Amino acid sequence: MVCEIERQCGVNPAEARTDSDAQPAAPPARVAELLSGSNRGRFLLASLMWVTGLLAYSAFTTWTPTLLAENGLQLDDTLLLSATLASMAPVGALLAIPLIDRWDRRKTQLAIGTLLALVLLMFSVARAPWAILVFGCLVSLLFQMAVPFLQVYSAEIFPTRVRALGAGTANALSRVVNFSGPLLVTAIYAGLGYTAVFVFLAILGVMGGCLAILFGPRTTGVSLETVAAGKEDGHA
């Protein structure tokens, strides 16, 4: 039946299959390709952005209730904070939708990271339960807004051949490094105290945007082919 429809449309089924079969499938991309040529710098950038972003986010969501409880906040309040922080995930993602293509993604990432760092610093000195709740919600909201930018940007800086491999490997690498998060938070808390933990997270939170501005290519409004060729108006 399909062949009959193709003939009625003027398509020769045999020729169509021949033309398709004449193009050999490209071999799958290899991890080694991420470490050679221009891909090396892009992979390093994507990996650092994922590592710093995920480490800051995971440390905040995992350790904040524990640290607050150890510093005098009642258990009921910490449970309320945890539930409220979790509710910010869909809100932050929805707020990112109208912004993700509006301006240069690198600059928007930097703006979100800067706001995130400032709110984390305010959270670190807040002691009233209402202030902790408000600043905690803002931190979680900004983290969730940053995630879509990171996911999109870390993929589009790679050439088509290694795009999925590059973005996926950078993401996976951040998950492996994230295992060191509890050790880092514990060491900072034991050595420098409660406030120092959130200062550290603030530095991590703003680092991704700084790296994108300093070393990343501009991708907003630029074709992927142009980005891959390194001809965009920005850093290669």
Side-chain angles (χ1 to χ4, degrees), residues 58-233:
S58 298
F60 180 79
T61 55
T62 303
W63 282 92
T64 293
T66 301
L67 294 176
L68 289 173
E70 291 191 4
N71 282 271
L73 195 66
Q74 297 299 316
L75 179 60
D76 290 345
D77 294 329
T78 60
L79 292 176
L80 174 62
L81 177 65
S82 298
T84 307
L85 294 183
S87 70
M88 291 296 103
V91 179
L94 289 172
L95 288 177
I97 293 174
L99 301 178
I100 201 160
D101 281 321
R102 188 173 183 84
W103 300 291
D104 185 342
R105 271 185 277 282
R106 300 171 303 169
K107 295 179 181 178
T108 310
Q109 284 177 296
L110 180 59
I112 293 174
T114 302
L115 286 174
L116 174 61
L118 291 174
V119 178
L120 275 167
L121 293 177
M122 289 187 285
F123 182 89
S124 71
V125 297
R127 293 297 180 265
W130 68 266
I132 291 173
L133 186 62
V134 170
F135 290 136
C137 286
L138 288 175
V139 169
S140 183
L141 185 72
L142 290 167
F143 268 129
Q144 296 298 338
M145 287 182 66
V147 169
F149 285 90
L150 178 56
Q151 290 174 328
V152 171
Y153 187 78
S154 64
E156 61 189 356
I157 61 176
F158 289 103
T160 301
R161 173 172 168 75
V162 295
R163 181 165 298 127
L165 180 64
T169 304
N171 190 334
L173 182 61
S174 72
R175 311 282 171 170
V176 175
V177 175
N178 196 47
F179 279 110
S180 66
L183 297 176
L184 282 172
V185 172
T186 301
I188 294 172
Y189 180 62
L192 299 173
Y194 173 87
T195 301
V197 172
F198 295 99
V199 172
F200 172 66
L201 298 185
I203 294 171
L204 290 179
V206 76
M207 197 179 272
C210 292
L211 290 170
I213 286 289
L214 292 173
F215 305 109
R218 182 172 67 87
T219 60
T220 308
V222 180
S223 69
L224 293 176
E225 292 77 10
T226 302
V227 174
K231 297 177 181 179
E232 73 290 340
D233 180 18

